Amino acid sequence: MCIPNCPDEILADNQMLEKLYSPSAMKTRIVENTTNTRLELQTLLCALEFLKSDNENIIYGKMESTTIYTDCRTAIDLLRRRKRLESVHYRSKRKGSALVNADIYKSFFNLYDEFSPKLVWVKGHTSGKNRIGVQRIFSEVDRFVRNLLRNYISHNTSWVDK
């Protein structure tokens, strides 16, 4: 979930955060033939690409700040790993081969440099009674996306009886 131009004091207020959330503002993209980790990174990259596209449509200048909430620990750790990844040119330490997600890492760092978003890790898949603010929104987004996926699969899969 990505919330542009939102002061920290509003983000800390769970009730206000829930008011800012709008299911109609969600943007989705179909991604096929991927892994869980790659999909989470692709989702982060998509969010940054949507921000870039939205930012280019804003007449009065660059966005001041963006906070991205994610339950993907790999995405959060990328910034810590950046210096080493770049120093070895996105290659494996053991085999020397290109890393599987090198393309996404490079694209992420380019867009990160453009927007300098604040990345915030949140625990995903918490129980309903313990959800507040961002976690409640994550649950809503997760439910929405799962329903979209079910619908997509049911309309794009043909079962042939043999």
Side-chain angles (χ1 to χ4, degrees):
M1 177 177 65
C2 212
I3 302 175
N5 301 319
C6 196
D8 285 342
E9 59 271 10
I10 289 178
L11 298 177
D13 181 339
N14 288 316
Q15 291 178 339
M16 181 61 78
L17 190 57
E18 289 176 35
K19 289 177 186 175
L20 288 172
Y21 166 69
S22 168
S24 63
M26 275 197 278
K27 296 178 181 178
T28 60
R29 181 182 288 172
I30 298 295
V31 179
E32 295 179 337
N33 302 317
T34 190
T35 64
N36 287 347
T37 300
R38 187 166 177 84
L39 180 60
E40 288 183 329
L41 294 171
Q42 286 170 309
T43 301
L44 177 61
L45 190 56
C46 270
L48 290 169
E49 287 169 351
F50 284 137
L51 277 174
K52 181 176 176 122
S53 174
D54 288 349
N55 192 44
E56 288 170 352
N57 294 327
I58 295 174
I59 299 169
Y60 39 84
K62 192 171 181 170
M63 290 182 185
E64 292 177 14
S65 66
T66 301
T67 300
I68 298 176
Y69 292 94
T70 181
D71 63 350
C72 176
R73 182 59 79 180
T74 302
I76 299 295
D77 290 344
L78 265 183
L79 295 175
R80 180 185 51 78
R81 297 175 51 211
R82 181 178 187 171
K83 190 179 238 180
R84 192 186 93 54
L85 288 169
E86 290 176 338
S87 72
V88 296
H89 305 288
Y90 303 93
R91 301 189 89 59
S92 165
K93 207 188 307 186
R94 274 186 271 147
K95 297 179 182 178
S97 58
L99 296 173
V100 174
N101 295 319
D103 58 327
I104 294 178
Y105 299 158
K106 291 174 190 175
S107 297
F108 167 75
F109 292 140
N110 286 335
L111 287 170
Y112 179 85
D113 290 345
E114 187 171 338
F115 292 103
S116 299
K118 179 179 177 182
L119 297 180
V120 177
W121 181 80
V122 294
K123 185 176 180 180
H125 309 287
T126 55
S127 66
K129 64 182 178 191
N130 296 328
R131 290 184 197 133
I132 56 168
V134 172
Q135 291 168 330
R136 190 172 291 156
I137 295 169
F138 258 69
S139 177
E140 296 275 331
V141 170
D142 187 53
R143 185 178 11 257
F144 176 79
V145 170
R146 286 177 191 272
N147 286 335
L148 279 178
L149 180 60
R150 283 186 198 103
N151 189 34
Y152 175 78
I153 289 170
S154 71
H155 287 91
N156 292 296
T157 304
S158 60
W159 299 97
V160 179
D161 293 327
K162 292 186 176 186

